[in-house]
Amino acid sequence: MADNIPVLHVCKEDFIKDELPLVVFIHGFTSAKEHNLHIAYLLAEKGLRVVLPDAKFHGERDENLSEADLNLNFWNIVISSVKELEKIKNYFFEKELIDGKNIGVAGTSMGGVATLGALTQYPWIKAAVSLMGSPHYQKFFKYLVDSYQKAGYTFPLSEEEIQQQFDALYEYDLSVHKEALCNRPLLFWHGMKDQVVPFAPTYQFYEEIKPLYADNPEHLAFIAEKDAGHKVSRKGVLETVEWFVRHLR
């Protein structure tokens, strides 16, 4: 537990009491913290401290919600994950297990969405990796609402409530707060055949922010795999590890 948030804490035994660079890795929708242990292991082997939290309504925090109810709570879960990053960071900082200057955040799918939103909130994030995430909170919200309705679900929110949720996402929407990036190292991985989180809008965002990284182009990268769908490849995993090894020192 880290401030009442269930987490897995992974690092080399030799460094267990040392102040280390920290990576917080956020899992995807309907997943759980244990499903990313392979990534945590590879990061820990490189001398990093890794924390894998369970998102709200997931893993140890499961409340047996139906798939429909989980879908309705998607943005609630995302924003909760963003807010809980601060608690996790403070917990390990107060225990003198991290130096506070070398903190990375990464995530898969929903976790990638949360990672990109967190960049709008926390200047202390030094480097980030989005695996199949989207920076377009408001546009992606509309996309999910449309997908939900096309799937035949009766949407239980009024137009006014939908608008309120839409408006509440503005402050976390990296696509309209690009200035928050501040040249921080950011890696994207996305399969071009992704049917869950559309590839094109995220790649367009990457193209839009390239000028912001003109002085340090090595701080920005996008790995697109033409035959990949909504599943991170081995290449994506290994590139994630190398990104943090390179930038959290």
Side-chain angles (χ1 to χ4, degrees):
M1 287 285 187
D3 199 3
N4 295 316
I5 302 165
V7 302
L8 289 175
H9 173 198
V10 184
C11 74
K12 276 191 170 183
E13 187 174 3
D14 291 347
F15 305 147
I16 193 70
K17 295 182 179 180
D18 295 348
E19 289 187 352
L20 300 176
L22 171 69
V23 175
V24 181
F25 196 98
I26 307 169
H27 64 74
F29 189 61
T30 72
S31 186
K33 58 187 184 300
E34 293 83 3
H35 295 183
N36 295 305
L37 272 170
H38 60 302
I39 300 176
Y41 173 83
L42 293 172
L43 288 164
E45 279 292 302
K46 298 292 187 178
L48 303 174
R49 189 178 301 281
V50 189
V51 174
L52 308 170
D54 268 333
K56 189 174 184 178
F57 303 137
H58 289 71
E60 293 181 45
R61 305 167 79 178
D62 181 20
E63 295 186 13
N64 294 314
L65 296 183
S66 68
E67 182 179 350
D69 283 338
L70 268 180
N71 283 323
L72 285 172
N73 275 283
F74 178 84
W75 291 105
N76 175 17
I77 298 164
V78 168
I79 301 306
S80 176
S81 292
V82 172
K83 291 180 177 179
E84 288 175 353
L85 281 171
E86 180 104 73
K87 295 180 180 180
I88 292 168
K89 185 263 291 185
N90 290 342
Y91 176 87
F92 285 92
F93 183 75
E94 288 166 6
K95 291 188 174 296
E96 299 182 346
L97 295 175
I98 61 173
D99 61 19
K101 295 179 181 179
N102 290 291
I103 299 174
V105 179
T108 303
S109 190
M110 180 184 75
V113 174
T115 295
L116 294 169
L119 290 170
T120 70
Q121 304 297 305
Y122 304 128
W124 46 260
I125 297 175
K126 185 178 179 181
V129 177
S130 169
L131 304 166
M132 311 180 298
S134 172
H136 300 94
Y137 272 45
Q138 291 185 314
K139 288 181 181 178
F140 194 45
F141 172 83
K142 286 187 174 180
Y143 171 82
L144 292 177
V145 169
D146 290 344
S147 298
Y148 192 85
Q149 292 172 332
K150 287 177 182 176
Y153 293 111
T154 301
F155 212 72
L157 302 179
S158 67
E159 288 298 321
E160 182 179 358
E161 289 170 325
I162 291 173
Q163 186 63 44
Q164 287 174 348
Q165 284 200 14
F166 177 83
D167 293 342
L169 295 176
Y170 176 81
E171 69 171 297
Y172 300 95
D173 192 321
L174 188 58
S175 72
V176 294
H177 296 294
K178 299 181 183 75
E179 72 285 352
L181 287 166
C182 296
N183 204 39
R184 288 178 287 178
L186 175 58
L187 169 67
F188 294 91
W189 181 93
H190 215 125
M192 295 178 72
K193 293 183 178 179
D194 194 327
Q195 297 296 311
V196 179
V197 182
F199 168 86
T202 304
Y203 189 78
Q204 180 183 350
F205 173 78
Y206 161 73
E207 291 287 349
E208 290 172 358
I209 64 175
K210 271 185 179 179
L212 302 179
Y213 286 84
D215 292 337
N216 297 97
E218 71 279 5
H219 283 189
L220 180 67
F222 195 112
I223 300 171
E225 292 197 42
K226 65 178 182 178
D227 294 322
H230 196 67
K231 182 178 180 181
V232 182
S233 68
R234 176 169 172 76
K235 179 178 180 179
V237 169
L238 295 179
E239 291 287 350
T240 295
V241 173
E242 289 307 310
W243 190 258
F244 286 126
V245 170
R246 193 178 313 139
H247 294 291
L248 292 185
R249 297 293 183 184

